[in-house]
Amino acid sequence: MVQDNLKLILKEVNEKRIIELTEKLISIPSHHGLNEPEKGIGKFIYNYLCEEGLDAELIPVAGSRCNVLAGYGSGKNNEKTLMLEGHMDTVDVKNMRIDPFKAIIKDGMIYGRGAADMKGALAAMISALVALKKRGVELNGRAYFAGVIDEEFWYRGAAYLAQNGPKTRYAIVGEPTGLDIHNGHRGLVWVEVKVKGKYAHGGTPELGINAIEKMNKIITEIKEVLYPKIINRTHPVTGPSYLNLGYIHGGTQPSTVAGECILQIDRRWVPGESQDSAVREIREIITGLVSKDPELSAEVSVMDYGLGIEFPPLVCEENSLLISVLKEGSIQITGREKISHFPAWTDGSILSRDGGIETAVLGPGNLESAHSDVEFCPVRDIINAAKIYIYSILRLCG
C-alpha cells in the first residue's frame, strides 16, 4: 500500500514548483541583524500554505516573531504523528561574495543565503505536505510542517514547540546533511575565560602583570592536560567530544602591558558528560594554575547572556522505527543510505529532550556550504528531500 501511494503521490511532486518556492524563500531576507528576521518569510509561508488548502497558523513566540505551523491528516492515532521542522532565520549576509537574495541556478546548484541552511529544506517540507493534500491521501495520524524562529541564536522557536506542541511521536529536522541520515549530535557550550592582569607602561613591564602571558599558561595547560582527556571520550551515536579555542583578544596597544585578556572556547560534549562537567574541567585547570601562580587571576563564565539555557546532545537509536523508515526512504529515492552523526548542533535536541519527540536530522545541501560566502545547495537534493519526506509521512502516519 505504501509503495502504491508513493508512486501516486510522487506524480503530484512538481519539481519546477519546488525550485520556484526555494527561489522565493531565498529572495526574502530573514537574516539576523534585521529587527524581525522571520517576519517576511513567515507571512509568505503562511499565505502559501493557506492557498494550498492546508490548515496553517502563525504563532507568536517572541514579540511579533512567529512560528508557522501547518498540519495534514486525520490525527486519529497519536502514535502516527510526524513533524517536519526547519528554521526560517539565517545568519548574516555581510561576508557574502554573491547576491544573497538573487537565488541563481547554475550547474545544478541554487545559490543564495539560506540555500543550504535551510530554505531548500523548508521548500521540500512544504512541498511534501502540498503533494499529500493534492492527492487527497488519507492518514490515520497527522503530519506537520513547523517553520521556527531563532535557531541561529537561542532556539526559541523550537523551545516553544517542545513546550506547547504539537507533541508528535517523531520529528525530522531538515538541516543540511547531503541527504545522509544523522541520528545524533554533540551538545554545545561556549565558555569565556577572562584573565585580569595589571596595566603598566611598556617601558616598565616589571610594574605590570601581563594578562596575555598568563592566558598563554592557561592555553598550554588546556592543550597538554585537557585535550588528551577529551579526545578519548566518544559516543556511538554522537561521535567524540571536542574543544576549540575560537577567539582571543588581549591588551590595548604595543606600548602597554596587557591588563586583560579574553579567550572564548567552543566545547562540544557527549552523553556521559554534561554542560556543568565541561565547564568545571576548565575551571579546575585554572584553579590548579592559580595555586602555583598567585598573580594569575581568571574568571570563567558560560556565554549564555544570562538566559540560563543549554544546548544538549541529540541521540536517536539506530534501531528505531524512524531511522528504519529514513533508511527505506533513502534507498527508494536515492538508491543509497548512510548513517552518521551531525557535526553541528540542531533544534532536534530540544525537540527530543524537552518535547519527548524521537528526532533525526536529514536535509538537502552540505554543512560546508552553510554560513559560507558562496552558499549553495544541489537542486536535486531539494527535490529528493521532498520525496523522502513524503515516504516518511506515508510510513509513519499512514
Side-chain angles (χ1 to χ4, degrees):
M1 182 64 72
V2 170
Q3 294 300 328
D4 292 340
N5 275 334
L6 181 64
K7 291 176 182 177
L8 291 171
I9 296 167
L10 291 185
K11 292 180 181 179
E12 301 291 349
V13 176
N14 187 321
E15 298 186 0
K16 183 172 181 289
R17 284 202 69 196
I18 294 176
I19 301 310
E20 287 174 348
L21 177 56
T22 306
E23 291 175 315
K24 180 61 180 178
L25 295 177
I26 290 172
S27 76
I28 303 172
S30 60
H31 59 86
H32 285 272
L34 300 173
N35 287 333
E36 299 171 307
E38 306 89 356
K39 184 175 181 179
I41 191 171
K43 188 172 182 180
F44 171 81
I45 290 173
Y46 168 76
N47 289 334
Y48 186 93
L49 291 163
C50 290
E51 288 168 7
E52 294 294 339
L54 288 159
D55 298 328
E57 297 177 81
L58 275 172
I59 304 172
V61 173
S64 59
R65 295 172 68 182
C66 297
N67 286 351
V68 183
L69 185 68
Y72 178 78
S74 69
K76 292 177 182 177
N77 189 332
N78 290 331
E79 285 297 300
K80 293 181 176 291
T81 49
L82 170 66
M83 182 191 302
L84 304 176
E85 193 260 21
H87 61 86
M88 300 181 292
D89 59 325
T90 71
V91 294
D92 209 339
V93 299
K94 293 177 182 177
N95 69 321
M96 296 198 74
R97 295 191 288 117
I98 58 172
D99 188 327
F101 311 120
K102 198 169 183 180
I104 292 173
I105 296 177
K106 183 180 179 182
D107 299 329
M109 304 291 176
I110 184 166
Y111 291 82
R113 176 58 83 221
D117 189 18
M118 53 182 298
K119 294 182 178 181
L122 293 175
M125 291 173 169
I126 293 165
S127 299
L129 260 65
V130 168
L132 290 162
K133 173 69 175 177
K134 284 186 178 297
R135 176 53 60 174
V137 174
E138 294 184 8
L139 300 177
N140 290 326
R142 192 163 175 83
Y144 292 90
F145 163 78
V148 302
I149 69 162
D150 198 39
E151 187 274 346
E152 296 292 356
F153 274 81
W154 304 117
Y155 65 73
R156 283 180 287 184
Y160 184 93
L161 284 178
Q163 182 175 354
N164 299 284
K167 298 287 187 180
T168 57
R169 178 72 177 83
Y170 306 103
I172 302 170
V173 175
E175 293 283 0
T177 69
L179 299 186
D180 291 342
I181 304 160
H182 288 189
N183 63 325
H185 58 68
R186 295 168 291 198
L188 162 68
V189 61
W190 289 347
V191 181
E192 182 173 274
V193 179
K194 183 181 292 186
V195 170
K196 288 288 187 182
K198 182 181 178 182
Y199 290 101
H201 193 284
T204 56
E206 70 278 3
L207 300 179
I209 298 173
N210 196 306
I212 294 175
E213 293 178 1
K214 302 302 182 185
M215 185 67 82
N216 184 53
K217 287 187 175 184
I218 294 172
I219 291 172
T220 300
E221 193 79 354
I222 286 173
K223 289 182 65 177
E224 293 181 356
V225 176
L226 193 52
Y227 270 13
K229 293 180 182 178
I230 290 172
I231 61 175
N232 288 321
R233 298 173 191 156
T234 189
H235 185 276
V237 173
T238 66
S241 289
Y242 195 72
L243 183 150
N244 178 57
L245 306 175
Y247 170 90
I248 191 166
H249 177 81
T252 56
Q253 60 178 354
S255 62
T256 300
V257 174
E260 183 176 271
C261 187
I262 294 172
L263 172 68
Q264 293 177 349
I265 299 169
D266 180 311
R267 176 70 162 86
R268 307 281 166 151
W269 53 278
V270 303
E273 301 180 287
S274 68
Q275 175 171 302
D276 288 345
S277 70
V279 177
R280 184 170 60 249
E281 284 183 321
I282 296 170
R283 286 199 172 104
E284 288 171 351
I285 287 284
I286 293 170
T287 299
L289 289 171
V290 168
S291 68
K292 302 173 187 175
D293 182 358
E295 287 190 334
L296 197 161
S297 173
E299 300 174 357
V300 179
S301 60
V302 175
M303 297 172 61
D304 64 359
Y305 301 92
L307 297 175
I309 62 175
E310 292 187 2
F311 296 82
L314 169 67
V315 173
C316 183
E317 298 300 333
E318 190 171 337
N319 62 0
S320 72
L321 178 59
L322 175 59
I323 300 302
S324 297
V325 166
L326 287 174
K327 285 182 184 179
E328 295 169 10
S330 296
I331 292 171
Q332 287 280 335
I333 304 304
T334 68
R336 67 177 181 86
E337 63 161 270
K338 182 181 177 183
I339 298 179
S340 60
H341 65 271
F342 195 62
W345 188 88
T346 78
D347 279 341
S349 64
I350 300 303
L351 299 179
S352 175
R353 186 193 68 175
D354 299 344
I357 301 171
E358 194 170 309
T359 305
V361 186
L362 182 147
N366 295 294
L367 190 64
E368 292 82 358
S369 170
H371 300 197
S372 72
D373 54 0
V374 184
E375 186 173 351
F376 64 90
C377 182
V379 169
R380 180 49 53 182
D381 268 16
I382 299 170
I383 293 165
N384 284 340
K387 295 178 179 181
I388 293 172
Y389 298 149
I390 288 169
Y391 181 89
S392 301
I393 293 169
L394 291 175
R395 283 281 280 110
L396 295 170
C397 305

